[in-house]
Amino acid sequence: MLSPIGISAQTREEGPWWPHPQWGPEDQAGASNWVTDTKVLRAVKLVKTGKIYELGHVYTRDMPLWGQRTFSLVTPDPYKQFTKKNTPVWNVDYFSGEFGQIGTQFDALGHTGMSITMADGSEKDVFYNGFTRDEVNGSAYGLQALGIEKVPPIITRGILIDIAAYKRVPVLGNEYEVTMADVRGALALQGMQEDTIEPGDAILFNYGWANNWENRDIYNDKSSPGIGVEVGLWIAKRKACLAGADSPALEVLPMTDSSLGFPVHQELLIKNGIFILENMDLRGLAADRVYEFMFIFTPTPFKGASGSPGSPVAIR
Amino acid sequence: MLSPIGISAQTREEGPWWPHPQWGPEDQAGASNWVTDTKVLRAVKLVKTGKIYELGHVYTRDMPLWGQRTFSLVTPDPYKQFTKKNTPVWNVDYFSGEFGQIGTQFDALGHTGMSITMADGSEKDVFYNGFTRDEVNGSAYGLQALGIEKVPPIITRGILIDIAAYKRVPVLGNEYEVTMADVRGALALQGMQEDTIEPGDAILFNYGWANNWENRDIYNDKSSPGIGVEVGLWIAKRKACLAGADSPALEVLPMTDSSLGFPVHQELLIKNGIFILENMDLRGLAADRVYEFMFIFTPTPFKGASGSPGSPVAIR
Amino acid sequence: MLSPIGISAQTREEGPWWPHPQWGPEDQAGASNWVTDTKVLRAVKLVKTGKIYELGHVYTRDMPLWGQRTFSLVTPDPYKQFTKKNTPVWNVDYFSGEFGQIGTQFDALGHTGMSITMADGSEKDVFYNGFTRDEVNGSAYGLQALGIEKVPPIITRGILIDIAAYKRVPVLGNEYEVTMADVRGALALQGMQEDTIEPGDAILFNYGWANNWENRDIYNDKSSPGIGVEVGLWIAKRKACLAGADSPALEVLPMTDSSLGFPVHQELLIKNGIFILENMDLRGLAADRVYEFMFIFTPTPFKGASGSPGSPVAIR
Amino acid sequence: MLSPIGISAQTREEGPWWPHPQWGPEDQAGASNWVTDTKVLRAVKLVKTGKIYELGHVYTRDMPLWGQRTFSLVTPDPYKQFTKKNTPVWNVDYFSGEFGQIGTQFDALGHTGMSITMADGSEKDVFYNGFTRDEVNGSAYGLQALGIEKVPPIITRGILIDIAAYKRVPVLGNEYEVTMADVRGALALQGMQEDTIEPGDAILFNYGWANNWENRDIYNDKSSPGIGVEVGLWIAKRKACLAGADSPALEVLPMTDSSLGFPVHQELLIKNGIFILENMDLRGLAADRVYEFMFIFTPTPFKGASGSPGSPVAIR
């Protein structure tokens, strides 16, 4: 098993974690490759009633934002076509802000890289599949590799793991790190086993943290429950396509090991190409005890963006 | 049958086209109400192979834009956490522009209203279901009614009507108005009849116009093929949930009757709450002759926005 | 003397306060017309030492903002020209926000209008010199009349009236309305009389409120000292070119008469074309007891903007 | 005399061009340090008539823009205070774009750096006064050193050098490099000599290029007249505070030596802290043969911005 950090030497051609033997050195689609047509069919067949669950929040000016990010939507002065008999009037909104990294958000593989030591001793910033910072960045106008437009629609089998229910609390404590024991316990309570997870699944963790969404002072970027490296490694091993949660970072904040910066993001996005979906709202699924479903998230392909907002849904 | 324009008197309580008897005077969801759980199940059952078709374009800085609209995505200077052992580096994009009215775009019901004469002789700007301009507008920070957040995910049966194939051309001529004879002819060629359309369906028209997407001089807001009022009235009568096309306006540009401004938008959005999806790319479906499918569009709920970008998909 | 509100009848041609007999019915430059070449010379001659005082604040992400306004400046990823021998690297900032209405801000005449009753009984929204809302607004892309580009550089004689010094406090109390007695007292303390004000002067009021600039909770849009209608009428009578202060609104917040909305703005901008400069920092001038000086503010002419940021200066 | 490029070794403490002996290793104000109170007085005394010349263009949506930059100003839906007796209505513009690097623009010292070889053989990106890229960049939210807020108002003696008049053309040819012979010839024609330039002066070059401002196809970022390294070195030697011109880059485009990227920017901004003002309009001064004047440019201090728009003026 790989250590999540401290890799001492890596080469472009044959490092411990790239190129991904499955998908080749040019791959930019990551774990979405697990989602084949057959997998889509598998997901479709889970639909029994046609009931749709919306798994995201509405994006508002006063929602919790990471750091100093901006959500600014203005409504320009409506335009009225006075010269036409039917005099239509038009509204067109104008938005500015960190588009793909606010509210319910899906991380593209270009969202994060890390500095590693190469075999020749040099330091290099690398992203998924060994793409370097020079290959990804260097333009003011969008990422040149690993942007959101490289990600296909994610339509797959979804699994909810309700940690809050297992712990018998409405909301996990802030700073609580979810363990593998919790994951196994929650699955067992749901009548599932660890190996219920199949390649390409979207795994969603319910911490109950969405209950704090309306309270920006509590729901912030400093302190929230989440998984740690232990569960991150398990997700990778299970070959999930995506991991999501109802918290700002999926992983616990602050990090249990304060010397590390977002090790779960590294394990998933950088090393394994597994996408992350944050700030979800899983209360509907949890309330109805829906643990297996058709999952849909269609990233908006703004070329070169590091992520996407959107409206993830489950259908059962 | 209502005239598409020239309504001489309307009242808030009992005008000819509101409140919608089906959904009540407070309704803001429009024709998405046709999409019940049963309808979703109906759509799901159309999936046979699990193949996904992406029906939108990638959003780029140089794509065709309506009028003077803006697509500006910048990549801020990456942030590197030097103090952490694993030194992650972060990319977060920043966007500004007419978010919901650029590229492949879905119109919310607050996108357009029209001026009408009330029973007392006064003029009033009204939107879907009789919402007035004062109820919809009046804030600089988003629509106060009929914003995109009022629209649920659209997951329903989709129908492609391939007009270009029927006319035996790769691309319809600009300024060509698609007629009901074209629609019936295309359906017949596809082995379908007019009454194949069921309440809540998403009807997509292929004009072949997406072939011009790379050429901003041709693909513009001045001149393109599309349906006219005749087909618009038929869509309303068939109780569609959504009408989409691979052109900037769905309806023909310029209007056949130059005294009118976007009469199809009025017929669909204002009078019937039927959503419009523009600048699609239907070439994949057309090439594979896929005419009936599971259709998915999940609007991104930026509160108070007049529309949404996104990635519409078909699954067959 | 005009009442500040409640005008019962006004005509486009000969209302009580337009067209301005001095400047004609097409004028959009307002009280800047008082600043002739001779007036500029008058200002220049006040310079004795060459010392420059900066009268504005630095604009920052965490400065006090009115309502829900936005100041968002991001630094895109630097662009490095690797193909050039000298390998330059470039920074280009990207800003979004209410450009002309944040931080130290200068109001253009199109910033505010008011609803009045016309001679025929109808209601109309009008701006300076009788420009109507239809003439000013109606485009999403900037004001069509009375935008900031109609205002020339303001280089004129400046007068500081230090109300805080007269009241012997570092900061006036919030909600304190500055009276004409205060103005006369402050002028007297400065060895000046009321008639020291000449047509075209820029009158700056020091309330000491800039001492709260670093504290966004105190320095807000709800409660601050300022002049009221009494002093506003005096400024108009003295034919000032501009009135400025170190507070968010120049006028007292909340209004002394709570049934009115910003009556001083109406008196100055709408009726008299006198510009307003808010959120200044006059501490340097006050500390040095500089009461008469060359004043400079050069609006940035973003076409159709309702105001301008900038850096007002005094030279003595 | 320094070579403009090819410096082979530089140290942080005692390289050939930093720290600036005049202003110390922490200085971020550059050549604005030449503008003392005495210099301001010198400038003021040049005013004879009080006539103001505006030396910039109005900023519009369709003005020439460098590369893919954005100027997007929208006017939000006006806000009307219906609950107030006087019913004011408010306009507040919203802007997004490369604020300080569009239209008439003033470069801050953090706008550009260059890669140099240090004494130990390593490569480093450095800016004015030896500030490194790590010191300047590294935040998404503004430059951390050498931002526009470090630059005081520039009020000094201005000199116009009318190259177009000397060459007896309304507009210099595109790609024409202005030589020292041209500069001396133009000065002589104006009755001035080379040593008329004093430390702290603002030197403005008239190429006539502003005559192309309305034609975005001609006035672009690819091909325009300008000074080269020869004149750049002379400006530095004369200890100017600022160099401006009526062209996109001040220096000739493309570079005469195509292996170099913007060597004049390096000579002025990086090595000497001399500010650059581009896209000016000097036609008024040239027409009136005003060659010596009081010059004013007051940068708008958006914290961390790499430049500023504004309205430069001359008074004579």
Side-chain angles (χ1 to χ4, degrees):
Chain A
M1 194 179 73
L2 293 176
S3 159
I5 57 145
I7 289 155
S8 59
Q10 173 84 26
T11 63
R12 179 72 178 88
E13 293 72 25
E14 43 173 336
W17 33 277
W18 71 61
H20 285 271
Q22 295 99 336
W23 308 313
E26 300 306 319
D27 179 64
Q28 300 191 35
S32 71
N33 283 295
W34 294 118
V35 185
T36 59
D37 289 4
T38 306
K39 181 76 186 180
V40 175
L41 263 186
R42 168 98 175 84
V44 164
K45 287 195 198 307
L46 298 172
V47 178
K48 305 299 180 199
T49 68
K51 180 168 180 186
I52 294 172
Y53 292 83
E54 299 186 48
L55 308 181
H57 294 285
V58 171
Y59 298 76
T60 62
R61 195 169 272 267
D62 58 359
M63 69 182 171
L65 290 166
W66 189 276
Q68 304 186 80
R69 289 181 196 160
T70 295
F71 177 96
S72 178
L73 184 137
V74 296
T75 306
D77 201 4
Y79 172 61
K80 189 163 179 177
Q81 294 185 284
F82 286 105
T83 62
K84 300 295 181 184
K85 269 199 301 191
N86 54 349
T87 50
V89 60
W90 301 93
N91 280 311
V92 175
D93 45 277
Y94 192 92
F95 172 78
S96 57
E98 283 84 356
F99 176 67
Q101 300 289 339
I102 49 172
T104 303
Q105 62 198 260
F106 176 96
D107 292 342
L109 297 177
H111 178 45
T112 188
M114 67 186 292
S115 185
I116 63 164
T117 307
M118 303 300 286
D120 67 1
S122 66
E123 291 278 322
K124 197 173 253 185
D125 286 348
V126 295
F127 290 73
Y128 167 74
N129 214 4
F131 282 90
T132 65
R133 182 160 164 176
D134 285 347
E135 289 167 326
V136 172
N137 283 95
S139 165
Y141 298 126
L143 303 181
Q144 304 186 92
L146 302 177
I148 191 73
E149 78 280 8
K150 301 300 197 303
V151 187
I154 306 291
I155 300 175
T156 191
R157 178 174 178 250
I159 296 291
L160 176 73
I161 303 180
D162 190 346
I163 306 294
Y166 171 68
K167 304 295 280 190
R168 297 175 186 278
V169 290
V171 186
L172 294 182
N174 57 345
E175 311 197 9
Y176 178 75
E177 180 178 327
V178 173
T179 65
M180 271 311 298
D182 294 335
V183 170
R184 289 190 187 102
L187 284 171
L189 190 65
Q190 297 173 188
M192 301 167 119
Q193 289 181 313
E194 195 179 329
D195 62 7
T196 197
I197 311 294
E198 303 165 4
D201 280 356
I203 307 178
L204 311 182
F205 295 92
N206 184 50
Y207 307 146
W209 198 249
N211 287 305
N212 293 324
W213 183 250
E214 304 298 328
N215 188 335
R216 197 166 169 167
D217 288 333
I218 296 178
Y219 196 110
N220 62 32
D221 55 0
K222 299 288 182 303
S223 168
S224 54
I227 62 174
V229 174
E230 181 193 21
V231 178
L233 289 168
W234 173 77
I235 292 168
K237 192 173 154 204
R238 299 309 311 177
K239 300 182 172 143
C241 163
L242 175 149
D246 60 344
S247 76
L250 169 68
E251 60 186 297
V252 62
L253 292 179
M255 280 72 218
T256 306
D257 176 348
S258 66
S259 71
L260 297 181
F262 299 89
V264 174
H265 275 63
Q266 294 191 337
E267 198 58 43
L268 299 186
L269 288 166
I270 303 178
K271 294 192 189 169
N272 291 286
I274 296 171
F275 299 95
I276 293 177
L277 190 40
E278 295 153 334
N279 295 326
M280 303 185 75
D281 184 348
L282 302 165
R283 288 175 291 184
L285 287 181
D288 286 1
R289 302 188 183 192
V290 178
Y291 302 124
E292 189 186 18
F293 42 86
M294 181 180 184
F295 173 82
I296 301 169
F297 185 79
T298 57
T300 295
F302 277 16
K303 191 177 181 184
S306 68
S308 174
S311 174
V313 302
I315 320 179
R316 72 147 167 186
Chain B
M1 195 175 76
L2 293 176
S3 161
I5 55 146
I7 289 156
S8 59
Q10 174 84 27
T11 62
R12 180 72 178 89
E13 292 72 24
E14 42 174 336
W17 34 277
W18 71 60
H20 285 272
Q22 294 97 337
W23 308 313
E26 300 306 320
D27 178 63
Q28 300 192 34
S32 70
N33 283 296
W34 294 117
V35 187
T36 59
D37 290 5
T38 306
K39 182 77 185 178
V40 175
L41 262 187
R42 169 98 175 86
V44 163
K45 288 194 195 311
L46 298 172
V47 178
K48 303 299 180 200
T49 69
K51 182 169 179 184
I52 293 172
Y53 293 83
E54 299 185 48
L55 308 181
H57 294 286
V58 171
Y59 298 77
T60 63
R61 196 168 272 267
D62 57 359
M63 68 182 172
L65 290 168
W66 190 275
Q68 304 186 81
R69 290 181 195 159
T70 295
F71 177 95
S72 179
L73 183 137
V74 297
T75 306
D77 200 6
Y79 172 62
K80 190 164 179 176
Q81 295 183 282
F82 287 104
T83 62
K84 300 295 182 183
K85 269 199 301 191
N86 53 348
T87 51
V89 60
W90 300 92
N91 280 311
V92 175
D93 44 278
Y94 193 92
F95 172 78
S96 56
E98 283 84 356
F99 176 68
Q101 299 291 340
I102 50 172
T104 304
Q105 62 198 258
F106 176 95
D107 291 342
L109 297 178
H111 178 45
T112 188
M114 68 186 291
S115 184
I116 63 165
T117 307
M118 303 301 286
D120 67 0
S122 66
E123 291 278 321
K124 196 174 251 184
D125 287 349
V126 294
F127 291 73
Y128 167 74
N129 214 3
F131 282 90
T132 64
R133 182 160 164 179
D134 285 347
E135 288 168 326
V136 172
N137 284 96
S139 164
Y141 299 126
L143 304 182
Q144 304 187 94
L146 300 177
I148 192 70
E149 78 278 8
K150 301 300 196 304
V151 187
I154 306 290
I155 299 175
T156 190
R157 179 176 178 247
I159 296 290
L160 177 73
I161 303 179
D162 191 345
I163 305 293
Y166 171 68
K167 305 294 282 188
R168 298 177 184 278
V169 290
V171 185
L172 295 182
N174 57 346
E175 311 198 9
Y176 179 74
E177 180 178 328
V178 174
T179 64
M180 271 311 299
D182 294 336
V183 169
R184 290 192 186 100
L187 283 171
L189 190 66
Q190 298 173 186
M192 299 167 121
Q193 289 181 314
E194 195 180 329
D195 61 6
T196 197
I197 311 294
E198 303 165 2
D201 280 357
I203 307 178
L204 311 183
F205 295 93
N206 185 49
Y207 307 145
W209 198 249
N211 288 304
N212 293 324
W213 183 251
E214 305 297 328
N215 189 333
R216 195 165 169 166
D217 288 334
I218 295 176
Y219 197 109
N220 63 31
D221 53 0
K222 299 290 183 300
S223 168
S224 54
I227 62 173
V229 173
E230 182 194 19
V231 177
L233 290 168
W234 174 77
I235 292 168
K237 193 174 150 201
R238 299 310 310 177
K239 298 181 174 147
C241 163
L242 174 149
D246 61 344
S247 76
L250 168 68
E251 61 185 299
V252 62
L253 293 178
M255 278 73 217
T256 307
D257 176 349
S258 67
S259 72
L260 297 181
F262 300 88
V264 175
H265 274 64
Q266 293 190 339
E267 198 58 43
L268 299 186
L269 288 166
I270 304 178
K271 294 192 192 168
N272 291 287
I274 296 172
F275 299 96
I276 293 177
L277 189 42
E278 295 154 333
N279 295 326
M280 303 185 76
D281 184 348
L282 302 166
R283 288 176 290 185
L285 287 181
D288 286 1
R289 302 189 185 190
V290 179
Y291 301 124
E292 189 189 16
F293 42 85
M294 181 181 183
F295 172 83
I296 301 170
F297 185 79
T298 55
T300 296
F302 277 16
K303 190 177 182 183
S306 69
S308 175
S311 175
V313 303
I315 319 179
R316 73 149 167 184
Chain C
M1 195 178 76
L2 292 176
S3 160
I5 56 143
I7 290 156
S8 58
Q10 174 84 27
T11 63
R12 180 73 178 86
E13 293 72 24
E14 43 172 336
W17 33 278
W18 71 62
H20 285 271
Q22 295 98 339
W23 308 313
E26 301 306 320
D27 179 64
Q28 300 192 33
S32 71
N33 283 295
W34 294 117
V35 185
T36 60
D37 290 5
T38 306
K39 182 76 186 181
V40 175
L41 263 186
R42 169 97 174 88
V44 164
K45 286 193 198 312
L46 298 172
V47 178
K48 304 300 180 197
T49 68
K51 181 168 179 185
I52 293 173
Y53 293 83
E54 299 185 49
L55 309 181
H57 294 286
V58 171
Y59 298 76
T60 62
R61 195 169 272 267
D62 58 359
M63 68 182 171
L65 290 166
W66 190 276
Q68 303 187 82
R69 290 181 195 159
T70 295
F71 176 96
S72 178
L73 184 138
V74 296
T75 306
D77 201 5
Y79 172 62
K80 189 163 179 178
Q81 294 184 284
F82 287 105
T83 63
K84 300 295 182 183
K85 269 199 303 193
N86 54 349
T87 50
V89 60
W90 300 93
N91 281 311
V92 175
D93 44 276
Y94 192 92
F95 171 78
S96 56
E98 283 84 355
F99 176 67
Q101 299 291 340
I102 49 172
T104 303
Q105 62 198 259
F106 176 95
D107 292 342
L109 297 177
H111 177 45
T112 189
M114 68 186 289
S115 184
I116 63 165
T117 307
M118 304 300 286
D120 67 0
S122 66
E123 291 278 321
K124 197 173 250 184
D125 285 349
V126 294
F127 290 73
Y128 168 74
N129 214 5
F131 282 90
T132 65
R133 181 159 164 178
D134 285 348
E135 289 167 325
V136 171
N137 284 94
S139 165
Y141 298 126
L143 304 181
Q144 304 186 92
L146 301 177
I148 192 71
E149 78 279 8
K150 302 299 196 305
V151 187
I154 306 290
I155 300 175
T156 191
R157 178 174 178 249
I159 296 290
L160 177 72
I161 304 180
D162 190 345
I163 306 293
Y166 171 68
K167 304 295 281 190
R168 298 175 184 278
V169 290
V171 186
L172 294 182
N174 57 347
E175 312 198 9
Y176 178 75
E177 179 179 329
V178 173
T179 64
M180 273 309 300
D182 293 335
V183 169
R184 290 189 186 103
L187 284 171
L189 191 65
Q190 297 172 189
M192 300 166 119
Q193 289 181 313
E194 196 180 329
D195 62 7
T196 197
I197 311 295
E198 303 165 4
D201 280 356
I203 307 178
L204 310 182
F205 295 93
N206 184 50
Y207 307 146
W209 198 249
N211 288 305
N212 293 325
W213 183 251
E214 304 297 330
N215 189 335
R216 198 166 169 166
D217 288 333
I218 295 177
Y219 196 109
N220 62 32
D221 54 0
K222 299 290 183 301
S223 169
S224 54
I227 62 173
V229 173
E230 181 193 20
V231 177
L233 289 169
W234 174 78
I235 292 168
K237 192 173 153 203
R238 299 311 309 178
K239 299 179 173 152
C241 163
L242 174 149
D246 60 344
S247 76
L250 169 68
E251 60 186 297
V252 61
L253 292 178
M255 279 73 216
T256 307
D257 176 349
S258 67
S259 71
L260 297 181
F262 299 88
V264 174
H265 275 64
Q266 294 192 338
E267 198 58 43
L268 300 186
L269 288 166
I270 304 178
K271 294 192 192 169
N272 291 285
I274 296 172
F275 299 95
I276 294 177
L277 190 40
E278 296 153 334
N279 295 325
M280 303 185 76
D281 184 348
L282 302 166
R283 287 175 290 184
L285 287 182
D288 286 2
R289 303 188 183 192
V290 179
Y291 302 122
E292 189 186 17
F293 43 85
M294 181 180 184
F295 173 82
I296 300 170
F297 185 80
T298 56
T300 295
F302 278 16
K303 191 177 181 184
S306 68
S308 174
S311 174
V313 302
I315 320 178
R316 71 149 169 185
Chain D
M1 195 176 75
L2 294 176
S3 161
I5 56 145
I7 290 156
S8 60
Q10 174 82 27
T11 61
R12 180 71 177 89
E13 292 73 24
E14 41 174 337
W17 34 277
W18 72 60
H20 284 271
Q22 295 98 336
W23 308 313
E26 300 305 322
D27 178 63
Q28 300 192 33
S32 71
N33 283 295
W34 295 117
V35 186
T36 59
D37 290 4
T38 306
K39 181 77 185 179
V40 175
L41 263 187
R42 168 99 175 85
V44 163
K45 287 194 196 311
L46 298 172
V47 179
K48 303 300 179 197
T49 69
K51 182 170 178 184
I52 294 172
Y53 293 83
E54 298 185 48
L55 308 180
H57 294 285
V58 171
Y59 298 77
T60 63
R61 196 168 270 266
D62 57 358
M63 68 181 172
L65 290 167
W66 190 276
Q68 304 187 80
R69 290 181 196 160
T70 295
F71 177 94
S72 179
L73 183 137
V74 296
T75 306
D77 200 6
Y79 172 61
K80 190 163 178 177
Q81 294 184 282
F82 286 106
T83 61
K84 300 295 182 183
K85 269 199 301 189
N86 53 348
T87 52
V89 59
W90 300 92
N91 280 309
V92 176
D93 44 279
Y94 193 92
F95 171 78
S96 57
E98 283 85 356
F99 177 68
Q101 298 291 339
I102 50 172
T104 303
Q105 61 197 258
F106 176 96
D107 292 343
L109 297 176
H111 178 45
T112 188
M114 68 186 291
S115 185
I116 64 165
T117 307
M118 304 299 286
D120 66 2
S122 66
E123 292 278 322
K124 197 172 250 185
D125 286 348
V126 295
F127 290 73
Y128 167 76
N129 214 4
F131 282 90
T132 64
R133 183 161 163 176
D134 285 348
E135 289 167 325
V136 171
N137 284 98
S139 164
Y141 298 125
L143 304 180
Q144 304 186 93
L146 301 176
I148 192 70
E149 79 278 9
K150 301 298 197 306
V151 187
I154 306 290
I155 299 175
T156 189
R157 180 176 177 246
I159 296 291
L160 177 73
I161 303 179
D162 190 345
I163 305 294
Y166 170 69
K167 305 296 280 188
R168 298 177 184 277
V169 291
V171 185
L172 295 182
N174 56 346
E175 311 198 9
Y176 178 76
E177 179 178 328
V178 174
T179 65
M180 271 312 298
D182 294 336
V183 169
R184 289 189 188 102
L187 284 171
L189 191 66
Q190 298 173 187
M192 300 166 119
Q193 290 182 312
E194 195 180 328
D195 61 6
T196 197
I197 311 295
E198 304 165 1
D201 280 358
I203 307 178
L204 310 182
F205 296 92
N206 185 49
Y207 307 146
W209 197 248
N211 287 304
N212 294 324
W213 183 251
E214 304 298 329
N215 189 333
R216 196 165 169 167
D217 288 334
I218 295 177
Y219 196 110
N220 63 31
D221 53 0
K222 299 291 183 299
S223 168
S224 54
I227 62 173
V229 174
E230 181 193 20
V231 177
L233 290 167
W234 173 77
I235 292 168
K237 192 173 152 203
R238 300 310 311 178
K239 299 180 172 150
C241 162
L242 173 150
D246 60 344
S247 76
L250 169 68
E251 60 184 299
V252 62
L253 293 178
M255 278 73 217
T256 307
D257 177 349
S258 67
S259 72
L260 297 181
F262 300 87
V264 174
H265 274 65
Q266 294 190 338
E267 198 58 42
L268 300 186
L269 288 166
I270 304 178
K271 294 191 193 170
N272 291 286
I274 296 172
F275 299 95
I276 293 177
L277 188 43
E278 295 153 335
N279 296 325
M280 302 185 77
D281 184 348
L282 302 166
R283 289 175 290 186
L285 287 181
D288 286 2
R289 303 189 182 191
V290 178
Y291 303 123
E292 188 188 18
F293 42 85
M294 181 181 183
F295 172 81
I296 300 170
F297 185 79
T298 55
T300 295
F302 277 16
K303 190 176 182 184
S306 69
S308 174
S311 175
V313 302
I315 318 179
R316 74 149 165 181

